[in-house]
Short mmCIF file of all heavy atoms in Angstrom, two decimals:
data_model
loop_
_atom_site.label_atom_id
_atom_site.label_comp_id
_atom_site.label_asym_id
_atom_site.label_seq_id
_atom_site.Cartn_x
_atom_site.Cartn_y
_atom_site.Cartn_z
N MET A 1 105.98 68.96 79.60
CA MET A 1 104.82 68.69 80.43
C MET A 1 105.25 68.08 81.75
O MET A 1 104.65 68.36 82.79
CB MET A 1 103.87 67.77 79.66
CG MET A 1 102.58 67.56 80.38
SD MET A 1 101.71 69.12 80.58
CE MET A 1 100.07 68.59 80.51
N LYS A 2 106.32 67.28 81.72
CA LYS A 2 106.80 66.67 82.96
C LYS A 2 107.35 67.71 83.92
O LYS A 2 107.20 67.58 85.13
CB LYS A 2 107.88 65.61 82.66
CG LYS A 2 107.33 64.34 82.08
CD LYS A 2 108.45 63.33 81.91
CE LYS A 2 107.90 62.05 81.34
NZ LYS A 2 108.93 61.03 81.23
N SER A 3 107.98 68.73 83.36
CA SER A 3 108.54 69.76 84.23
C SER A 3 107.43 70.55 84.94
O SER A 3 107.59 70.94 86.10
CB SER A 3 109.44 70.71 83.44
OG SER A 3 108.69 71.38 82.45
N VAL A 4 106.31 70.76 84.26
CA VAL A 4 105.19 71.46 84.88
C VAL A 4 104.61 70.61 86.00
O VAL A 4 104.33 71.11 87.10
CB VAL A 4 104.10 71.80 83.82
CG1 VAL A 4 102.86 72.37 84.48
CG2 VAL A 4 104.64 72.75 82.77
N LEU A 5 104.44 69.32 85.76
CA LEU A 5 103.93 68.42 86.79
C LEU A 5 104.88 68.34 87.97
O LEU A 5 104.45 68.38 89.13
CB LEU A 5 103.70 67.03 86.18
CG LEU A 5 103.02 66.00 87.07
CD1 LEU A 5 101.64 66.49 87.47
CD2 LEU A 5 102.92 64.68 86.34
N ARG A 6 106.16 68.28 87.70
CA ARG A 6 107.16 68.25 88.76
C ARG A 6 107.14 69.54 89.58
O ARG A 6 107.28 69.52 90.80
CB ARG A 6 108.55 68.02 88.15
CG ARG A 6 109.63 67.81 89.16
CD ARG A 6 110.94 67.48 88.52
NE ARG A 6 110.98 68.05 87.16
CZ ARG A 6 112.02 68.04 86.38
NH1 ARG A 6 113.14 67.51 86.78
NH2 ARG A 6 111.99 68.57 85.19
N TYR A 7 106.93 70.66 88.89
CA TYR A 7 106.84 71.94 89.59
C TYR A 7 105.69 71.94 90.58
O TYR A 7 105.85 72.32 91.74
CB TYR A 7 106.67 73.08 88.57
CG TYR A 7 106.33 74.40 89.20
CD1 TYR A 7 107.31 75.15 89.85
CD2 TYR A 7 105.03 74.88 89.18
CE1 TYR A 7 107.00 76.35 90.44
CE2 TYR A 7 104.72 76.09 89.78
CZ TYR A 7 105.70 76.82 90.40
OH TYR A 7 105.39 78.01 90.99
N PHE A 8 104.50 71.52 90.14
CA PHE A 8 103.34 71.54 91.02
C PHE A 8 103.46 70.52 92.14
O PHE A 8 102.96 70.75 93.24
CB PHE A 8 102.05 71.34 90.22
CG PHE A 8 101.64 72.59 89.49
CD1 PHE A 8 101.71 72.67 88.10
CD2 PHE A 8 101.20 73.70 90.18
CE1 PHE A 8 101.34 73.82 87.44
CE2 PHE A 8 100.83 74.86 89.54
CZ PHE A 8 100.90 74.92 88.16
N LYS A 9 104.14 69.42 91.91
CA LYS A 9 104.39 68.48 93.01
C LYS A 9 105.31 69.12 94.04
O LYS A 9 105.11 68.96 95.24
CB LYS A 9 105.02 67.18 92.47
CG LYS A 9 104.03 66.28 91.80
CD LYS A 9 104.70 64.98 91.35
CE LYS A 9 103.71 64.07 90.68
NZ LYS A 9 104.32 62.82 90.23
N GLY A 10 106.30 69.85 93.57
CA GLY A 10 107.19 70.57 94.49
C GLY A 10 106.45 71.64 95.28
O GLY A 10 106.69 71.82 96.47
N VAL A 11 105.52 72.32 94.62
CA VAL A 11 104.71 73.32 95.31
C VAL A 11 103.89 72.66 96.40
O VAL A 11 103.78 73.17 97.52
CB VAL A 11 103.80 74.08 94.30
CG1 VAL A 11 102.76 74.91 95.03
CG2 VAL A 11 104.63 74.95 93.39
N GLY A 12 103.32 71.50 96.11
CA GLY A 12 102.54 70.77 97.11
C GLY A 12 103.39 70.36 98.30
O GLY A 12 102.95 70.47 99.45
N ARG A 13 104.60 69.91 98.04
CA ARG A 13 105.50 69.52 99.14
C ARG A 13 105.86 70.72 99.99
O ARG A 13 105.89 70.64 101.22
CB ARG A 13 106.76 68.87 98.59
CG ARG A 13 106.58 67.43 98.18
CD ARG A 13 107.92 66.74 97.94
NE ARG A 13 108.74 67.44 96.94
CZ ARG A 13 108.72 67.18 95.64
NH1 ARG A 13 107.95 66.25 95.15
NH2 ARG A 13 109.50 67.85 94.82
N GLU A 14 106.16 71.84 99.36
CA GLU A 14 106.51 73.05 100.12
C GLU A 14 105.33 73.57 100.92
O GLU A 14 105.51 74.09 102.03
CB GLU A 14 107.02 74.14 99.18
CG GLU A 14 108.38 73.87 98.60
CD GLU A 14 109.46 73.84 99.66
OE1 GLU A 14 109.42 74.63 100.61
OE2 GLU A 14 110.36 72.99 99.54
N THR A 15 104.12 73.46 100.38
CA THR A 15 102.93 73.91 101.10
C THR A 15 102.75 73.12 102.39
O THR A 15 102.32 73.68 103.40
CB THR A 15 101.69 73.76 100.20
OG1 THR A 15 101.89 74.50 99.00
CG2 THR A 15 100.45 74.29 100.88
N LYS A 16 103.06 71.85 102.37
CA LYS A 16 102.93 71.04 103.58
C LYS A 16 103.97 71.41 104.63
O LYS A 16 103.74 71.19 105.81
CB LYS A 16 103.05 69.56 103.23
CG LYS A 16 101.88 69.05 102.43
CD LYS A 16 102.06 67.61 102.03
CE LYS A 16 100.92 67.17 101.12
NZ LYS A 16 101.11 65.82 100.62
N ARG A 17 105.08 72.00 104.22
CA ARG A 17 106.13 72.38 105.16
C ARG A 17 105.88 73.72 105.83
O ARG A 17 106.53 74.07 106.81
CB ARG A 17 107.47 72.44 104.43
CG ARG A 17 107.94 71.07 103.94
CD ARG A 17 109.19 71.15 103.15
NE ARG A 17 110.26 71.78 103.90
CZ ARG A 17 111.41 72.17 103.40
NH1 ARG A 17 111.64 72.01 102.12
NH2 ARG A 17 112.32 72.73 104.15
N ILE A 18 104.91 74.48 105.32
CA ILE A 18 104.62 75.80 105.87
C ILE A 18 104.01 75.66 107.26
O ILE A 18 103.14 74.83 107.48
CB ILE A 18 103.65 76.58 104.96
CG1 ILE A 18 104.31 76.86 103.61
CG2 ILE A 18 103.21 77.88 105.61
CD1 ILE A 18 103.38 77.47 102.59
N LYS A 19 104.47 76.49 108.19
CA LYS A 19 103.87 76.52 109.52
C LYS A 19 102.82 77.61 109.51
O LYS A 19 103.12 78.79 109.61
CB LYS A 19 104.93 76.80 110.59
CG LYS A 19 104.39 76.75 112.00
CD LYS A 19 105.47 77.02 113.01
CE LYS A 19 104.93 76.92 114.41
NZ LYS A 19 104.07 78.02 114.76
N TRP A 20 101.56 77.21 109.38
CA TRP A 20 100.47 78.16 109.30
C TRP A 20 100.18 78.70 110.68
O TRP A 20 100.27 77.99 111.68
CB TRP A 20 99.23 77.48 108.72
CG TRP A 20 99.44 76.99 107.33
CD1 TRP A 20 99.71 75.72 106.94
CD2 TRP A 20 99.46 77.77 106.14
NE1 TRP A 20 99.87 75.65 105.58
CE2 TRP A 20 99.73 76.89 105.06
CE3 TRP A 20 99.27 79.12 105.88
CZ2 TRP A 20 99.80 77.34 103.75
CZ3 TRP A 20 99.33 79.55 104.57
CH2 TRP A 20 99.60 78.67 103.52
N PRO A 21 99.78 79.97 110.79
CA PRO A 21 99.49 80.55 112.11
C PRO A 21 98.20 79.98 112.69
O PRO A 21 97.29 79.59 111.94
CB PRO A 21 99.34 82.04 111.83
CG PRO A 21 98.98 82.13 110.39
CD PRO A 21 99.65 80.96 109.72
N ASP A 22 98.13 79.95 114.01
CA ASP A 22 96.90 79.49 114.65
C ASP A 22 95.88 80.63 114.65
O ASP A 22 96.18 81.76 114.30
CB ASP A 22 97.17 78.98 116.07
CG ASP A 22 97.86 80.03 116.94
OD1 ASP A 22 98.21 81.09 116.41
OD2 ASP A 22 98.03 79.76 118.14
N ARG A 23 94.67 80.31 115.06
CA ARG A 23 93.57 81.29 115.02
C ARG A 23 93.87 82.51 115.89
O ARG A 23 93.55 83.63 115.52
CB ARG A 23 92.28 80.62 115.46
CG ARG A 23 91.07 81.51 115.34
CD ARG A 23 89.79 80.78 115.70
NE ARG A 23 89.49 79.72 114.77
CZ ARG A 23 88.74 79.86 113.68
NH1 ARG A 23 88.23 81.03 113.40
NH2 ARG A 23 88.50 78.84 112.90
N GLU A 24 94.50 82.30 117.04
CA GLU A 24 94.80 83.41 117.95
C GLU A 24 95.79 84.40 117.35
O GLU A 24 95.82 85.56 117.73
CB GLU A 24 95.33 82.89 119.29
CG GLU A 24 94.30 82.16 120.13
CD GLU A 24 94.02 80.75 119.64
OE1 GLU A 24 94.92 80.13 119.04
OE2 GLU A 24 92.89 80.28 119.83
N THR A 25 96.62 83.94 116.46
CA THR A 25 97.57 84.82 115.78
C THR A 25 96.97 85.41 114.51
O THR A 25 97.20 86.57 114.19
CB THR A 25 98.85 84.04 115.42
OG1 THR A 25 99.37 83.45 116.61
CG2 THR A 25 99.89 84.93 114.79
N PHE A 26 96.20 84.60 113.82
CA PHE A 26 95.69 84.99 112.50
C PHE A 26 94.66 86.10 112.58
O PHE A 26 94.72 87.06 111.80
CB PHE A 26 95.09 83.76 111.80
CG PHE A 26 94.50 84.06 110.46
CD1 PHE A 26 95.32 84.35 109.38
CD2 PHE A 26 93.13 84.08 110.28
CE1 PHE A 26 94.78 84.63 108.15
CE2 PHE A 26 92.59 84.36 109.05
CZ PHE A 26 93.41 84.64 107.99
N ILE A 27 93.70 86.00 113.49
CA ILE A 27 92.60 86.97 113.55
C ILE A 27 93.11 88.39 113.83
O ILE A 27 92.75 89.32 113.08
CB ILE A 27 91.54 86.54 114.61
CG1 ILE A 27 90.94 85.18 114.24
CG2 ILE A 27 90.46 87.60 114.76
CD1 ILE A 27 90.13 85.15 112.98
N PRO A 28 93.95 88.62 114.86
CA PRO A 28 94.45 89.99 115.05
C PRO A 28 95.27 90.51 113.87
O PRO A 28 95.17 91.69 113.51
CB PRO A 28 95.32 89.90 116.30
CG PRO A 28 94.84 88.69 117.02
CD PRO A 28 94.38 87.75 115.95
N SER A 29 96.04 89.65 113.25
CA SER A 29 96.82 90.07 112.08
C SER A 29 95.91 90.47 110.93
O SER A 29 96.15 91.45 110.23
CB SER A 29 97.74 88.95 111.63
OG SER A 29 98.65 88.62 112.65
N MET A 30 94.84 89.70 110.74
CA MET A 30 93.90 89.99 109.67
C MET A 30 93.19 91.33 109.94
O MET A 30 92.99 92.13 109.02
CB MET A 30 92.86 88.88 109.56
CG MET A 30 91.88 89.08 108.43
SD MET A 30 90.71 87.74 108.24
CE MET A 30 89.89 87.74 109.83
N VAL A 31 92.85 91.60 111.20
CA VAL A 31 92.21 92.86 111.55
C VAL A 31 93.14 94.03 111.26
O VAL A 31 92.72 95.06 110.73
CB VAL A 31 91.76 92.85 113.03
CG1 VAL A 31 91.32 94.23 113.48
CG2 VAL A 31 90.64 91.84 113.24
N VAL A 32 94.41 93.89 111.58
CA VAL A 32 95.39 94.95 111.32
C VAL A 32 95.50 95.21 109.82
O VAL A 32 95.49 96.36 109.37
CB VAL A 32 96.76 94.59 111.92
CG1 VAL A 32 97.84 95.52 111.41
CG2 VAL A 32 96.70 94.61 113.43
N VAL A 33 95.57 94.15 109.03
CA VAL A 33 95.69 94.31 107.58
C VAL A 33 94.46 94.99 107.00
O VAL A 33 94.56 95.89 106.16
CB VAL A 33 95.93 92.93 106.91
CG1 VAL A 33 95.78 93.02 105.41
CG2 VAL A 33 97.30 92.40 107.27
N ILE A 34 93.28 94.60 107.47
CA ILE A 34 92.05 95.21 106.97
C ILE A 34 91.98 96.68 107.37
O ILE A 34 91.60 97.54 106.55
CB ILE A 34 90.82 94.42 107.46
CG1 ILE A 34 90.77 93.06 106.76
CG2 ILE A 34 89.53 95.19 107.21
CD1 ILE A 34 89.72 92.12 107.29
N CYS A 35 92.36 97.00 108.59
CA CYS A 35 92.35 98.41 109.03
C CYS A 35 93.32 99.26 108.22
O CYS A 35 92.99 100.38 107.81
CB CYS A 35 92.69 98.50 110.51
SG CYS A 35 91.38 97.90 111.59
N ILE A 36 94.51 98.73 107.96
CA ILE A 36 95.48 99.47 107.15
C ILE A 36 94.96 99.66 105.73
O ILE A 36 95.11 100.75 105.14
CB ILE A 36 96.85 98.75 107.16
CG1 ILE A 36 97.48 98.87 108.54
CG2 ILE A 36 97.77 99.30 106.08
CD1 ILE A 36 98.73 98.05 108.73
N ALA A 37 94.31 98.64 105.16
CA ALA A 37 93.76 98.75 103.81
C ALA A 37 92.66 99.80 103.76
O ALA A 37 92.58 100.60 102.81
CB ALA A 37 93.24 97.40 103.33
N ILE A 38 91.80 99.82 104.77
CA ILE A 38 90.73 100.82 104.81
C ILE A 38 91.32 102.22 104.96
O ILE A 38 90.92 103.16 104.25
CB ILE A 38 89.74 100.51 105.95
CG1 ILE A 38 88.94 99.25 105.60
CG2 ILE A 38 88.81 101.68 106.22
CD1 ILE A 38 88.10 98.72 106.74
N PHE A 39 92.28 102.38 105.86
CA PHE A 39 92.93 103.67 106.05
C PHE A 39 93.60 104.14 104.76
O PHE A 39 93.48 105.31 104.37
CB PHE A 39 93.96 103.60 107.18
CG PHE A 39 94.74 104.86 107.36
CD1 PHE A 39 94.17 105.97 107.97
CD2 PHE A 39 96.05 104.96 106.90
CE1 PHE A 39 94.89 107.15 108.13
CE2 PHE A 39 96.78 106.12 107.05
CZ PHE A 39 96.19 107.22 107.67
N ALA A 40 94.32 103.24 104.09
CA ALA A 40 94.99 103.60 102.84
C ALA A 40 93.98 103.99 101.78
O ALA A 40 94.19 104.95 101.02
CB ALA A 40 95.87 102.45 102.36
N GLY A 41 92.86 103.27 101.70
CA GLY A 41 91.83 103.60 100.72
C GLY A 41 91.23 104.97 100.96
O GLY A 41 91.03 105.76 100.03
N ILE A 42 90.93 105.27 102.24
CA ILE A 42 90.38 106.59 102.57
C ILE A 42 91.40 107.69 102.29
O ILE A 42 91.08 108.72 101.69
CB ILE A 42 89.92 106.62 104.04
CG1 ILE A 42 88.70 105.71 104.23
CG2 ILE A 42 89.61 108.04 104.50
CD1 ILE A 42 88.33 105.48 105.68
N PHE A 43 92.65 107.46 102.69
CA PHE A 43 93.70 108.45 102.47
C PHE A 43 93.90 108.73 100.98
O PHE A 43 93.96 109.89 100.56
CB PHE A 43 95.02 107.98 103.10
CG PHE A 43 96.16 108.91 102.86
CD1 PHE A 43 96.28 110.09 103.57
CD2 PHE A 43 97.11 108.62 101.89
CE1 PHE A 43 97.34 110.96 103.33
CE2 PHE A 43 98.16 109.47 101.65
CZ PHE A 43 98.27 110.65 102.37
N LEU A 44 93.98 107.66 100.18
CA LEU A 44 94.20 107.85 98.75
C LEU A 44 93.00 108.50 98.08
O LEU A 44 93.16 109.31 97.14
CB LEU A 44 94.54 106.52 98.09
CG LEU A 44 95.89 105.94 98.48
CD1 LEU A 44 96.06 104.55 97.90
CD2 LEU A 44 97.03 106.84 98.03
N SER A 45 91.80 108.21 98.54
CA SER A 45 90.60 108.86 97.98
C SER A 45 90.61 110.35 98.29
O SER A 45 90.30 111.17 97.42
CB SER A 45 89.34 108.22 98.56
OG SER A 45 89.24 106.89 98.14
N LEU A 46 90.95 110.71 99.53
CA LEU A 46 91.02 112.13 99.90
C LEU A 46 92.13 112.84 99.13
O LEU A 46 91.96 114.00 98.70
CB LEU A 46 91.22 112.28 101.40
CG LEU A 46 90.02 111.86 102.26
CD1 LEU A 46 90.41 111.91 103.74
CD2 LEU A 46 88.83 112.74 101.97
N GLU A 47 93.25 112.17 98.96
CA GLU A 47 94.35 112.76 98.19
C GLU A 47 93.93 112.98 96.74
O GLU A 47 94.22 114.02 96.15
CB GLU A 47 95.57 111.86 98.26
CG GLU A 47 96.76 112.41 97.52
CD GLU A 47 97.92 111.44 97.46
OE1 GLU A 47 97.73 110.24 97.69
OE2 GLU A 47 99.03 111.91 97.16
N ASP A 48 93.23 112.03 96.18
CA ASP A 48 92.75 112.16 94.80
C ASP A 48 91.76 113.30 94.68
O ASP A 48 91.81 114.09 93.73
CB ASP A 48 92.11 110.85 94.35
CG ASP A 48 91.68 110.89 92.91
OD1 ASP A 48 92.50 111.25 92.05
OD2 ASP A 48 90.50 110.55 92.64
N LEU A 49 90.87 113.42 95.64
CA LEU A 49 89.89 114.51 95.64
C LEU A 49 90.58 115.87 95.75
O LEU A 49 90.25 116.81 95.01
CB LEU A 49 88.91 114.34 96.79
CG LEU A 49 87.83 115.41 96.94
CD1 LEU A 49 86.92 115.41 95.72
CD2 LEU A 49 87.04 115.17 98.21
N ALA A 50 91.57 115.96 96.63
CA ALA A 50 92.30 117.22 96.79
C ALA A 50 93.07 117.58 95.52
O ALA A 50 93.07 118.73 95.08
CB ALA A 50 93.26 117.12 97.98
N THR A 51 93.70 116.59 94.91
CA THR A 51 94.45 116.84 93.69
C THR A 51 93.53 117.28 92.56
O THR A 51 93.84 118.22 91.81
CB THR A 51 95.23 115.58 93.28
OG1 THR A 51 96.09 115.20 94.34
CG2 THR A 51 96.06 115.82 92.03
N ALA A 52 92.37 116.63 92.44
CA ALA A 52 91.42 117.01 91.40
C ALA A 52 90.92 118.42 91.62
O ALA A 52 90.77 119.20 90.66
CB ALA A 52 90.25 116.01 91.38
N THR A 53 90.67 118.79 92.88
CA THR A 53 90.20 120.14 93.19
C THR A 53 91.27 121.18 92.85
O THR A 53 90.98 122.22 92.25
CB THR A 53 89.82 120.24 94.68
OG1 THR A 53 88.84 119.25 94.97
CG2 THR A 53 89.27 121.61 95.02
N ILE A 54 92.50 120.91 93.22
CA ILE A 54 93.60 121.83 92.93
C ILE A 54 93.79 121.99 91.42
O ILE A 54 93.94 123.10 90.91
CB ILE A 54 94.91 121.37 93.60
CG1 ILE A 54 94.79 121.52 95.11
CG2 ILE A 54 96.11 122.14 93.06
CD1 ILE A 54 95.92 120.86 95.88
N LEU A 55 93.75 120.88 90.69
CA LEU A 55 93.92 120.97 89.24
C LEU A 55 92.77 121.71 88.58
O LEU A 55 92.97 122.47 87.62
CB LEU A 55 94.06 119.57 88.64
CG LEU A 55 95.37 118.85 88.95
CD1 LEU A 55 95.35 117.44 88.39
CD2 LEU A 55 96.55 119.62 88.37
N GLU A 56 91.57 121.51 89.08
CA GLU A 56 90.41 122.25 88.55
C GLU A 56 90.56 123.74 88.80
O GLU A 56 90.28 124.56 87.92
CB GLU A 56 89.12 121.72 89.17
CG GLU A 56 87.87 122.33 88.60
CD GLU A 56 87.65 121.95 87.14
OE1 GLU A 56 88.06 120.84 86.74
OE2 GLU A 56 87.08 122.78 86.40
N GLN A 57 91.03 124.11 89.99
CA GLN A 57 91.24 125.52 90.31
C GLN A 57 92.33 126.12 89.41
O GLN A 57 92.20 127.26 88.93
CB GLN A 57 91.61 125.69 91.79
CG GLN A 57 90.51 125.33 92.74
CD GLN A 57 89.31 126.26 92.60
OE1 GLN A 57 89.45 127.45 92.36
NE2 GLN A 57 88.13 125.69 92.73
N LEU A 58 93.38 125.38 89.19
CA LEU A 58 94.45 125.87 88.30
C LEU A 58 93.96 126.01 86.88
O LEU A 58 94.28 126.97 86.18
CB LEU A 58 95.66 124.91 88.34
CG LEU A 58 96.52 124.97 89.60
CD1 LEU A 58 97.53 123.86 89.61
CD2 LEU A 58 97.20 126.33 89.69
N ARG A 59 93.16 125.04 86.43
CA ARG A 59 92.60 125.12 85.07
C ARG A 59 91.72 126.36 84.92
O ARG A 59 91.79 127.07 83.92
CB ARG A 59 91.80 123.86 84.76
CG ARG A 59 91.29 123.84 83.33
CD ARG A 59 90.52 122.57 83.00
NE ARG A 59 91.40 121.43 83.18
CZ ARG A 59 91.01 120.27 83.75
NH1 ARG A 59 89.78 120.13 84.18
NH2 ARG A 59 91.86 119.29 83.87
N ASN A 60 90.89 126.60 85.93
CA ASN A 60 90.03 127.78 85.88
C ASN A 60 90.84 129.08 85.94
O ASN A 60 90.50 130.08 85.28
CB ASN A 60 89.01 127.76 87.03
CG ASN A 60 87.98 126.67 86.86
OD1 ASN A 60 87.76 126.20 85.75
ND2 ASN A 60 87.37 126.26 87.95
N ALA A 61 91.91 129.09 86.72
CA ALA A 61 92.74 130.30 86.84
C ALA A 61 93.45 130.61 85.54
O ALA A 61 93.56 131.79 85.15
CB ALA A 61 93.75 130.12 87.97
N PHE A 62 93.94 129.61 84.85
CA PHE A 62 94.69 129.86 83.62
C PHE A 62 93.81 129.90 82.37
O PHE A 62 94.27 130.22 81.31
CB PHE A 62 95.79 128.78 83.44
CG PHE A 62 96.94 128.97 84.38
CD1 PHE A 62 97.13 128.12 85.45
CD2 PHE A 62 97.82 130.03 84.21
CE1 PHE A 62 98.17 128.30 86.32
CE2 PHE A 62 98.87 130.22 85.07
CZ PHE A 62 99.07 129.35 86.13
N GLU A 63 92.54 129.58 82.52
CA GLU A 63 91.62 129.63 81.40
C GLU A 63 91.37 131.06 80.95
O GLU A 63 91.19 131.33 79.76
CB GLU A 63 90.29 128.98 81.82
CG GLU A 63 89.61 128.23 80.72
CD GLU A 63 88.43 127.45 81.27
OE1 GLU A 63 87.54 128.09 81.89
OE2 GLU A 63 88.42 126.25 81.11
N SER A 64 91.38 131.96 81.89
CA SER A 64 91.09 133.36 81.58
C SER A 64 92.28 134.09 80.97
O SER A 64 92.13 135.22 80.51
CB SER A 64 90.62 134.10 82.83
OG SER A 64 91.64 134.08 83.80
N ILE A 65 93.43 133.49 80.98
CA ILE A 65 94.63 134.16 80.45
C ILE A 65 94.69 134.02 78.95
O ILE A 65 94.41 133.12 78.34
CB ILE A 65 95.92 133.62 81.11
CG1 ILE A 65 95.92 133.94 82.58
CG2 ILE A 65 97.14 134.19 80.43
CD1 ILE A 65 97.10 133.42 83.33
#
C-alpha cells in the first residue's frame, strides 16, 4: 500500500513540473487535432462503406455459381 501511495505522490510531483501550453498555443493545436479526428472518421466511414459494397457485390456474384 505504501508503494501505491508513493507512486501517486511521484505522479503529483511530476505533474507540477510539466510546462503546460498557454491558451495561444493550445487552441490552434486543439483545432488541428479535432479536424484530423473528423477527417479520419469520415475517411474510415467511407472506406468501410466501400468495402461493404464490394463484399456485397462479390457475394452476389459468387452466389449464382
Side-chain angles (χ1 to χ4, degrees):
M1 186 62 148
K2 286 184 179 183
S3 62
V4 173
L5 187 60
R6 186 175 27 173
Y7 170 76
F8 283 110
K9 284 183 180 180
V11 168
R13 281 193 304 269
E14 288 296 322
T15 303
K16 291 176 185 175
R17 294 176 56 191
I18 296 173
K19 184 179 182 288
W20 298 100
D22 55 355
R23 185 176 294 269
E24 290 77 28
T25 305
F26 178 72
I27 299 294
S29 299
M30 183 177 60
V31 170
V32 168
V33 168
I34 290 172
C35 289
I36 290 172
I38 290 170
F39 175 76
I42 292 169
F43 177 77
L44 291 174
S45 295
L46 291 174
E47 181 186 18
D48 184 51
L49 179 63
T51 303
T53 303
I54 291 169
L55 289 176
E56 185 66 31
Q57 294 295 323
L58 286 172
R59 184 178 300 139
N60 292 338
F62 286 108
E63 215 171 57
S64 61
I65 295 178

